[in-house]
Amino acid sequence: MNIEELLPFYALDALSEEESAFVEAYLAAHPERAAELEAMKLSSSALNYDVEPVVPAPHVKQALMARVAATPRAAAFARAQTPPPNPAPQRWWQRLREAWALPTLATAGYALAAIVLLWTLGVRGQLNTATSQVAALQAQVANLETQNATLGAMRDNLQRQLDEQQLLLAIYNSPQTQSIAFGGTEVQPAAVGRLTVAPDGATAVLTVGNLAALAAEQTYQFWLIGADGPVSAGLLPVAADGSGTLLLQAADIAGYDAVGVSVEPAGGSTQPTGDIVMLGEL
Amino acid sequence: MQDEALMRQVAQGDQAAFSTLYDRHAPVVLGVLIKIVHNRALGEEILQETFWRVWDKAASFDPAQGKFTTWLFSIARRLAIDTLRRQKVRPAAADSAAQALQMERAPAEGSVSDDADRRIRRDAVRQALGQLPPEQRTVLELAYFAGMTRREIADETATPLGTVHTRARLGLRHLQDALAEHGWEEA
């Protein structure tokens, strides 16, 4: 074996046991080569730091530390770290004083513990009360926020109704307003209706009466009928007494030839599909 | 506290000192082990065994014989390479295998100064390794990380044995010079 060939691989820790033994025997006989080997080892150990570190999973350390803690050496070290009790001999007056002081101290200790316990219980009770109060206040705040949202929605709805009423009043009060009355077909001959068209020709109010109640899955729908056929002017809500009002807006209402009301599935249709219950010419 | 001082405490049974050494070095050791065995779970098993031996053999550690890290990495490498030989698994060249390996990388725990120290040391080593001729670097890595014998390296690289010897010697010498140039110091 050639030591010059083996030495770098010894530094790289990449020799067989036999080869390593040969190198170690050589080094023992030639201590002057130790520094050279140390430099080679330094270079080879640097290779470790070319690698990205990887954090081990926590259980690896936990298992390791548990294994270590179970060794006698760890237990002995832990015992050695515990401060020993004071073995100093006592004089007779010290013993007498302790004999008196210990019960007193014990009593004082119990009293202090009782005070701390009562105080702790009191604080805990106050804390529980305060926590309950905070929770109740939070519930009240949530309730008020809900009420506020509901009132806001009601206010918006009322404002919308007011706007509609004002518009209706303006339409009805204008001297240029046109009003067309029309009635029910043979399906509902008792039905009556009136379409009041505002002077702008694009806003109108439809009022109806005596319309029959419909099933839940049905609705009345109002149509403007022109040369190109019927055009939906909106769903017509009808109250239990058979009356209903619809505010509608459409370009050039007067330009249509006729109006009609039909029975449609809930949600309405793009073209009349059910019975025509009201019809009138414009 | 220096590693060697902590090891004196460990030899007496100080678990806190042992825990500090683990936090300081386990991430780098695990990185090396994974590079050797190409398997994280196996790497963690060997890591645990490595540090167990550090605890168990603490009394035999002699700082006069070398740095703690040299001793630690020697234990880890030998365990890993023994495992490889038992499994008769021969890893491919370190670089290509590392690319194929799916490993969870994360910043090391431990102290900020430990982490910064590792980064500085790694940067210096990488710069130094970057200066090595690739064929010399390959010989060093096959010997160190793949645990190959001189003859196995010759077969793997299709190179005469004498050339492998020369590349190993020159590689270590060039690396030593480059490390000195980049101010590298062993931990």
Side-chain angles (χ1 to χ4, degrees):
Chain A
M1 282 187 273
N2 182 334
I3 187 66
E4 304 305 329
E5 293 173 352
L6 295 182
L7 209 52
F9 286 91
Y10 183 79
L12 287 162
D13 203 10
L15 290 182
S16 66
E17 284 185 16
E18 185 191 357
E19 290 169 332
S20 293
F22 174 82
V23 172
E24 283 159 11
Y26 173 85
L27 290 171
H30 299 83
E32 71 277 7
R33 303 290 299 270
E36 183 187 350
L37 174 67
E38 193 57 34
M40 286 185 184
K41 278 187 172 179
L42 188 70
S43 300
S44 67
S45 68
L47 292 169
N48 294 308
Y49 294 92
D50 182 38
V51 173
E52 284 287 339
V54 179
V55 177
H59 70 82
V60 177
K61 186 177 180 186
Q62 287 164 6
L64 178 67
M65 294 308 292
R67 196 175 172 190
V68 162
T71 58
R73 194 168 93 233
F77 183 83
R79 275 197 305 276
Q81 298 302 304
T82 308
N86 183 12
Q90 292 179 316
R91 303 286 186 187
W92 65 268
W93 61 83
Q94 288 175 319
R95 290 198 295 273
L96 183 63
R97 189 171 60 192
E98 282 192 2
W100 174 82
L102 273 177
T104 308
L105 280 174
T107 306
Y110 288 136
L112 183 61
I115 290 167
V116 168
L117 179 64
L118 289 171
W119 181 79
T120 305
L121 289 173
V123 168
R124 183 172 293 175
Q126 288 176 5
L127 186 62
N128 289 340
T129 305
T131 305
S132 302
Q133 288 174 347
V134 168
L137 286 171
Q138 285 174 336
Q140 285 180 19
V141 168
N143 191 26
L144 287 171
E145 284 175 347
T146 305
Q147 288 180 15
N148 189 36
T150 306
L151 288 171
M154 287 171 66
R155 183 200 60 213
D156 293 344
N157 193 30
L158 287 170
Q159 184 64 50
R160 192 165 49 250
Q161 289 180 19
L162 183 62
D163 292 344
E164 284 185 9
Q165 294 297 328
Q166 286 176 340
L167 182 59
L168 291 175
L169 278 173
I171 292 171
Y172 285 131
N173 290 336
S174 173
Q176 285 84 35
T177 296
Q178 290 184 322
S179 182
I180 303 105
F182 58 104
T185 62
E186 67 277 10
V187 180
Q188 291 194 38
V192 293
R194 178 176 293 278
L195 184 67
T196 305
V197 182
D200 64 2
T203 308
V205 181
L206 170 68
T207 53
V208 295
N210 299 334
L211 278 171
L214 293 178
E217 68 276 12
Q218 291 180 312
T219 184
Y220 288 112
Q221 189 164 359
F222 184 58
W223 304 92
L224 293 168
I225 303 164
D228 297 331
V231 176
S232 175
L235 301 181
L236 173 61
V238 173
D241 64 357
S243 68
T245 303
L246 175 66
L247 179 65
L248 62 116
Q249 289 186 308
D252 192 18
I253 293 170
Y256 288 90
D257 300 325
V259 294
V261 175
S262 66
V263 178
E264 300 297 332
S269 307
T270 54
Q271 290 292 309
T273 60
D275 292 338
I276 307 294
V277 296
M278 295 185 74
L279 202 58
E281 289 185 3
L282 290 179
Chain B
M1 192 184 285
Q2 295 282 319
D3 292 342
E4 287 70 26
L6 286 168
M7 275 304 288
R8 280 196 295 276
Q9 294 290 103
V10 171
Q12 292 173 21
D14 187 343
Q15 295 176 69
F18 181 69
S19 175
T20 302
L21 281 173
Y22 179 92
D23 291 341
R24 189 178 289 174
H25 297 294
V28 176
V29 175
L30 182 56
V32 171
L33 291 172
I34 291 175
K35 182 155 184 170
I36 295 172
V37 300
H38 295 191
N39 180 300
R40 183 184 173 117
L42 188 56
E44 286 184 333
E45 273 182 38
I46 301 170
L47 175 74
Q48 195 179 118
E49 185 57 27
T50 299
F51 274 90
W52 167 250
R53 292 197 183 189
V54 168
W55 171 267
D56 196 41
K57 308 289 182 195
S60 68
F61 169 69
D62 179 7
Q65 299 292 316
K67 291 270 190 183
F68 168 72
T69 46
T70 307
W71 186 63
L72 172 68
F73 284 118
S74 174
I75 295 171
R77 267 192 73 256
R78 285 184 182 187
L79 284 171
I81 288 167
D82 286 350
T83 304
L84 277 186
R85 291 191 189 284
R86 273 200 306 276
Q87 293 184 336
K88 300 198 182 302
V89 171
R90 172 65 65 217
D95 283 347
S96 58
Q99 286 167 4
L101 193 60
Q102 294 294 318
M103 288 188 294
E104 181 188 338
R105 300 288 188 194
E109 286 174 352
S111 72
V112 173
S113 63
D114 285 346
D115 191 32
D117 189 44
R118 271 196 295 268
R119 286 172 191 278
I120 292 168
R121 197 169 291 132
R122 191 168 67 238
D123 288 347
V125 169
R126 284 185 177 171
Q127 287 175 14
L129 283 169
Q131 292 177 229
L132 281 188
E135 62 276 10
Q136 292 177 11
R137 179 174 176 164
T138 299
V139 169
L140 298 186
E141 290 196 333
L142 288 175
Y144 197 78
F145 290 118
M148 288 188 181
T149 64
R150 299 168 290 148
R151 194 162 296 282
E152 285 170 335
I153 295 171
D155 292 343
E156 175 77 18
T157 57
T159 308
L161 188 58
T163 306
V164 171
H165 291 143
T166 306
R167 286 177 181 173
R169 174 173 288 281
L170 289 177
L172 284 178
R173 188 178 300 161
H174 287 155
L175 185 56
Q176 182 185 344
D177 293 343
L179 287 169
E181 185 185 325
H182 292 285
W184 188 84
E185 286 181 6
E186 193 182 13

